[in-house]
Amino acid sequence: MMLIKIRIVPNSSKNDIIIEDEFVKVKITAQPIENKANKALIEYLSKTFKVPKTSIEIVKGETSKDKTLLFNVSEEKEAEIKSRLTK
């Protein structure tokens, strides 16, 4: 299990992950209405890191741009995700 703080940028031109000093910025093409951006965020991260959507959960910031995500994954997957999300 691992917690990651991200800042979501909805309504972007493309889905993308940008590593910044204080947080990870995730651009999502979906609009922030009716939970669409949250669903798109989980879908995008699940495809990017090849983990099931059910293993990613928004534990804080459901309606905020700043979110805390819980990844319920193996230690190997955890290390792989961490290495891709750090500079």
Side-chain angles (χ1 to χ4, degrees):
M1 285 181 140
M2 146 175 101
L3 289 172
I4 298 178
K5 287 187 185 329
I6 64 129
R7 175 165 288 166
I8 188 171
V9 183
N11 242 349
S12 298
S13 55
K14 64 177 183 154
N15 290 340
D16 199 8
I17 295 177
I18 296 154
I19 313 300
E20 298 203 340
D21 291 334
E22 313 86 62
F23 50 81
V24 176
K25 192 186 279 184
V26 183
K27 292 183 166 189
I28 295 293
T29 54
Q31 293 184 323
I33 23 179
E34 294 169 5
N35 217 12
K36 285 182 187 167
N38 286 345
K39 285 180 183 152
L41 170 70
I42 288 175
E43 214 166 279
Y44 174 62
L45 292 176
S46 134
K47 279 185 187 146
T48 303
F49 299 123
K50 295 177 179 61
V51 296
K53 284 188 261 188
T54 52
S55 66
I56 303 172
E57 186 186 338
I58 299 173
V59 289
K60 190 174 169 201
E62 191 77 27
T63 57
S64 164
K65 282 182 190 272
D66 296 321
K67 300 183 183 305
T68 303
L69 302 177
L70 174 69
F71 282 77
N72 199 352
V73 293
S74 68
E75 284 183 30
E76 296 150 21
K77 204 43 130 167
E78 212 174 283
E80 182 190 316
I81 293 170
K82 273 184 187 158
S83 73
R84 289 183 62 185
L85 292 180
T86 49
K87 280 187 172 177

